[in-house]
Amino acid sequence: DMVDRREKLVASKPAALAAKDAFTSRYVAGHPDLSVGLGLNRTGDDWAMKVFAQTQSAAREIPESFGEFAVEVQITGSATAT
């Protein structure tokens, strides 16, 4: 049910944000070619870490999950200023 799903997401957001901070300090800090955001997982019923990596090699240390949260990696290619 949509309302239940939304309530679950709202209730779990503080834990998801805390996990994102822990994930960031463990895997992303000091890696300028990585960034992370919080989003919904593929099924839309829980939070997921959304990792943006410039290269496949930059992403190789990233786990598939972190605690109870899925981790989804997207390879963005190099960011170039225009």
Side-chain angles (χ1 to χ4, degrees), residues 11-73:
S12 62
K13 189 165 189 182
L17 287 169
K20 177 185 167 262
D21 288 345
F23 181 88
T24 299
S25 64
R26 183 159 172 194
Y27 294 103
V28 181
H31 295 277
D33 50 358
L34 292 173
S35 64
V36 64
L38 196 60
L40 294 180
N41 64 8
R42 286 184 181 87
T43 51
D45 61 356
D46 205 353
W47 298 104
M49 307 295 145
K50 302 282 189 171
V51 178
F52 301 95
Q54 287 181 17
T55 62
Q56 193 71 51
S57 64
R60 73 176 177 268
E61 306 281 313
I62 303 296
E64 289 183 9
S65 63
F66 184 75
E68 62 188 276
F69 301 103
V71 175
E72 297 174 6
V73 176

